[in-house]
């Protein structure tokens, strides 16, 4: 049975619907054998449920979007992009 739901709703059912899922969460099924999620579990969740395993099956892309307010060819090197994504570059003068 396929049941589309949010990442939290699917992973809480893997752990323990009665104690982990937020109430009122009465969507069926309340217990599942496997689920898909794009959320990372916390270390405490792995500690509480040592049999729970996550396996990456899908990769998503992150695309930088910019609006300088005027027409210009913007060239971002891989190094510059890495610095932006790591938070080392937050602003610049055009």
């Amino acid at each position: 049975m396929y049941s589309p739901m949010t990442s939290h709703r699917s992973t809480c059912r893997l752990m323990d619907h009665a104690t982990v899922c937020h109430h009122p969460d009465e969507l069926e099924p309340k217990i599942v054998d496997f689920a898909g999620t794009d959320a990372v579990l916390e270390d405490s969740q792995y500690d509480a449920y040592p049999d729970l395993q996550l396996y990456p099956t899908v990769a998503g892309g992150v695309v930088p979007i910019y609006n300088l307010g005027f027409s210009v060819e913007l060239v971002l090197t891989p190094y510059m992009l890495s610095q932006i994504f790591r938070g080392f570059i937050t602003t610049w003068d055009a």
Side-chain angles (χ1 to χ4, degrees):
M1 171 176 164
Y2 173 73
S3 182
M5 56 184 67
T6 65
S7 291
H8 174 75
R9 282 185 167 169
S10 60
T11 54
C12 78
R13 283 163 169 69
L14 282 173
M15 293 181 266
D16 182 5
H17 178 270
T19 60
V20 179
C21 293
H22 296 292
H23 295 284
D25 182 355
E26 298 303 322
L27 291 177
E28 294 292 339
K30 293 184 179 150
I31 298 172
V32 296
D33 295 321
F34 63 92
T37 181
D38 59 353
V40 178
L41 297 180
E42 298 175 10
D43 289 340
S44 61
Q45 292 171 307
Y46 283 117
D47 293 341
Y49 301 92
D51 291 338
L52 184 60
Q53 297 294 316
L54 289 183
Y55 299 99
T57 58
V58 176
V62 177
V63 179
I65 299 173
Y66 66 93
N67 179 3
L68 299 178
F70 53 90
S71 179
V72 64
E73 182 178 334
L74 180 64
V75 178
L76 298 173
T77 66
Y79 176 76
M80 290 168 60
L81 282 172
S82 72
Q83 298 301 295
I84 291 169
F85 287 127
R86 294 176 69 194
F88 296 137
I89 298 175
T90 59
T91 61
W92 62 82
D93 294 331

